[in-house]
């Protein structure tokens, strides 16, 4: 049976380390790192993510402010709030919880966040920094995957890494980060032909598709490392990843569960980015 990569335990250990770093930063500088989280509308999943972020900030000593805006909030009202937070010295990171209601342009809102406070690393300027390998922030979910690989001693260099999914928030940046670590990277997506032939070549397989149990055991090479980014809610309310965990764990060398794998790492990386933003604000 595979090694189960424990994202919950890893993120707890990383948060403990971070708390020490934040305490030291506050006593050296007198500055408390601050994160503003904006949520628009009543998406229940988003509400849970935002509460998790508030609790995680409190646990490590980050000052957090949450702005809960009504579904009818106009784009201009949201942009005005972002502008205000861009200028607020107590706030070092700004996160706008996605998705936004359809009458608001996510692109415009992301572009309005100061790149120095863009702790999600979605702003085109930060995406560009990642492309050239010279960055302050990494997008939280792919960065969480890289932290798990590192902490479990899984070497990326020279490995064939297959990423299923090409979204701007997971698949594309994940591919860039694996490439930066000298992996040989293949990106697959909804138009990819003969997907299973490609995934079976993967030494490291990352699934970021959004379809429950999409990756079956026959799509995985013996001894592969399988990272499941997917979060899917089944009809009975339980959560399930993009990978058929029970079957694939019998074949893989190591695998992340859902829940308790990549998910907890995402919030942890956001906290690290907020400390980085606070440090950078003093330079
Ligand atoms: P998305 O819908 O933006 O992208 C899905 C990708 O899957 C697309 O690029 C698409 O080309 C690809 N795809 C769809 N059908 C396919 C098929 N049949 N074959 C191959 N590729 C196919 O989703 P996303 O925002 O990248 O999220 C992906 C999953 O990760 C979702 O389940 C989401 O909930 C989850 N997620 C988890 C975290 C976390 O913290 N763990 C963070 C972000 C997203």
């Amino acid at each position: 049976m595979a090694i189960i990569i424990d994202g919950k335990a890893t993120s707890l250990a990383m948060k403990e380390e971070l708390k020490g770093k934040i305490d030291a930063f506050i006593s050296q500088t007198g500055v408390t790192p601050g994160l503003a989280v904006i949520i628009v509308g009543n998406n229940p999943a988003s509400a849970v993510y935002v509460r998790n972020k508030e609790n995680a900030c409190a646990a490590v000593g980050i000052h957090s402010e949450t702005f809960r805006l009504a579904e009818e909030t106009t784009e201009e009202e949201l942009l005005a709030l972002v502008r205000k937070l861009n200028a607020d010295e107590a706030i070092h990171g700004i996160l706008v919880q996605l998705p936004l209601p359809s009458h608001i342009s996510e692109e415009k809102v992301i572009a309005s966040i100061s790149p120095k406070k863009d702790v999600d690393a979605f702003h085109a300027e930060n995406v560009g920094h990642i492309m050239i390998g010279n960055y302050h922030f990494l997008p939280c979910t792919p960065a969480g995957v890289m932290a798990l690989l590192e902490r479990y001693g899984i070497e990326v260099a020279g490995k064939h890494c297959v990423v299923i999914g090409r979204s701007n928030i997971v698949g594309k940046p994940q591919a860039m980060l694996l490439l930066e670590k000298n992996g040989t990277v293949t990106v697959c997506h909804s138009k990819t032909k003969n997907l299973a032939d490609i995934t079976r070549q993967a030494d490291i397989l990352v699934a970021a598709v959004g379809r429950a149990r999409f990756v079956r055991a026959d799509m995985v090479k013996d001894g592969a490392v399988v990272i499941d980014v997917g979060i899917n809610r089944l009809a009975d309310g339980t959560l399930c990843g993009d990978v058929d965990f029970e079957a694939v764990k019998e074949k893989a060398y190591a695998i992340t569960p859902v829940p308790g794998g990549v998910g907890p790492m995402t919030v942890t990386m956001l906290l690290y980015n907020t400390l980085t933003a606070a440090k950078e604000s003093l330079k």
Side-chain angles (χ1 to χ4, degrees), residues 49 122 140-142 145 163-172 187-192 195 207-212 214 219 228-233 240-242 258 261-267:
Y49 294 143
F122 292 164
C140 302
T141 299
V145 170
V163 179
I164 320 177
R166 58 171 163 187
S167 70
N168 287 338
I169 66 170
V170 189
K172 279 189 213 165
V187 182
C188 300
H189 47 80
S190 54
K191 301 282 190 290
T192 296
L195 179 68
V209 185
R211 291 190 185 201
F214 178 81
M219 296 166 72
D228 190 351
V229 178
I231 302 178
N232 308 291
R233 198 167 282 282
C240 154
D242 287 348
V258 177
V262 175
M265 295 298 289
T266 297
V267 178

Side-chain angles (χ1 to χ4, degrees), residues 136-174:
H136 294 306
F137 308 125
L138 290 176
C140 302
T141 299
V145 170
M146 299 311 288
L148 282 177
L149 293 174
E150 194 185 322
R151 292 205 170 218
Y152 275 79
I154 295 164
E155 182 62 65
V156 174
K159 300 278 176 63
H160 188 184
C161 307
V162 175
V163 179
I164 320 177
R166 58 171 163 187
S167 70
N168 287 338
I169 66 170
V170 189
K172 279 189 213 165
Q174 188 68 72

